[in-house]
């Protein structure tokens, strides 16, 4: 079981036909491979991803849901956060973690002409709110992709928090 999951939306800059979205999905998959991360898109989300995005036609709504994984053979993303710990003795050095690969992935995909922005939600499965689904469209901050590592390092923690914080971001071009 992963201790942290990453889910979000890849939002389009205009209304797209299904064939265009299929092409974008190949592009996204290739960029994930290039950055050595796994990605599930749309109807291929794990049960954790489907908790946030139950299967329906998101293309009509102008986005596709996604989740980030450690690699193509797993259903978790705990290794991306290796060398980052939170709690009483906060140690957060994202530069020494897999979050740098994730940041580079976002920087690259936001260069695509049909991608307007990306939302991302990092949440600890054991410490986050029990009513997660209702909060998937609430963002702590809007940032540029190049600030992702810094944002992860500087996210304020709840006073009783001892795990990875519940971070919600909108990443813009």
């Amino acid at each position: 079981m992963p201790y942290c999951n990453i889910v979000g939306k890849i939002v389009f800059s205009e209304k797209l036909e299904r064939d265009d979205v299929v092409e974008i999905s190949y592009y996204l998959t290739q960029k994930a491979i290039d950055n050595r991360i796994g990605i599930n898109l749309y109807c291929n989300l794990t049960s954790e991803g489907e908790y946030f995005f139950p299967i329906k036609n998101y293309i009509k709504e102008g986005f596709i849901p996604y989740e980030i994984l450690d690699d193509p053979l797993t259903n978790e993303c705990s290794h991306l956060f290796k060398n980052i710990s939170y709690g009483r003795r906060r140690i957060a050095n994202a530069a020494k973690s897999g979050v740098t690969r994730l940041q580079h992935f976002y920087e690259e995909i936001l260069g695509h002409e049909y991608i307007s922005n990306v939302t991302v939600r990092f949440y600890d499965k054991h410490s986050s709110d029990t009513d997660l689904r209702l909060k998937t469209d609430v963002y702590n901050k809007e940032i540029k992709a190049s600030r992702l590592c810094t944002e992860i390092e500087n996210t304020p923690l709840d006073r009783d928090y001892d795990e990875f914080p519940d971070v919600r971001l909108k990443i813009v071009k």
Side-chain angles (χ1 to χ4, degrees):
M1 280 294 214
Y3 71 94
C4 187
N5 285 47
I6 303 173
V7 296
K9 300 177 185 178
I10 298 168
V11 182
F12 306 131
S13 57
E14 58 186 73
K15 186 169 174 54
L16 298 175
E17 298 297 322
R18 182 163 169 58
D19 289 346
D20 295 323
V21 176
V22 168
E23 286 304 313
I24 290 172
S25 71
Y26 282 116
Y27 170 80
L28 294 167
T29 302
Q30 185 60 55
K31 291 300 177 187
I33 291 168
D34 293 347
N35 286 286
R36 310 275 305 153
I37 57 177
I39 190 169
N40 286 340
L41 300 167
Y42 202 40
C43 294
N44 293 317
L45 301 180
T46 64
S47 60
E48 285 294 321
E50 283 184 15
Y51 181 75
F52 291 96
F53 300 102
I55 295 174
K56 70 177 193 174
N57 189 351
Y58 293 105
I59 295 170
K60 279 185 171 180
E61 296 180 34
F63 72 91
I64 53 173
Y66 73 96
E67 66 184 332
I68 298 295
L69 309 166
D70 282 331
D71 60 60
L73 297 178
T74 189
N75 67 346
E76 63 182 40
C77 61
S78 58
H79 295 292
L80 280 174
F81 300 98
K82 190 174 182 180
N83 297 325
I84 297 178
S85 64
Y86 290 89
R88 287 186 202 108
R89 287 183 236 127
R90 181 178 178 144
I91 302 166
N93 187 346
K96 293 183 179 180
S97 72
V99 177
T100 56
R101 296 191 320 269
L102 183 61
Q103 176 176 303
H104 192 254
F105 169 75
Y106 287 136
E107 289 170 337
E108 288 187 329
I109 68 169
L110 283 167
H112 194 285
E113 66 180 310
Y114 291 135
I115 297 176
S116 168
N117 65 74
V118 177
T119 70
V120 61
R121 170 103 188 246
F122 302 88
Y123 70 96
D124 184 286
K125 290 177 58 165
H126 307 294
S127 299
S128 292
D129 301 331
T130 54
D131 199 8
L132 294 171
R133 191 180 303 174
L134 296 176
K135 296 188 174 197
T136 56
D137 290 322
V138 177
Y139 307 105
N140 289 339
K141 204 166 191 183
E142 184 173 297
I143 65 167
K144 299 276 189 185
S146 62
R147 301 275 309 148
L148 181 64
C149 288
T150 303
E151 195 63 38
I152 294 298
E153 290 173 356
N154 296 325
T155 299
L157 302 177
D158 295 338
R159 73 178 161 212
D160 298 326
Y161 213 99
D162 62 354
E163 298 291 338
F164 192 81
D166 192 352
V167 179
R168 292 168 238 142
L169 303 169
K170 180 177 183 181
I171 303 175
V172 297
K173 292 185 180 207

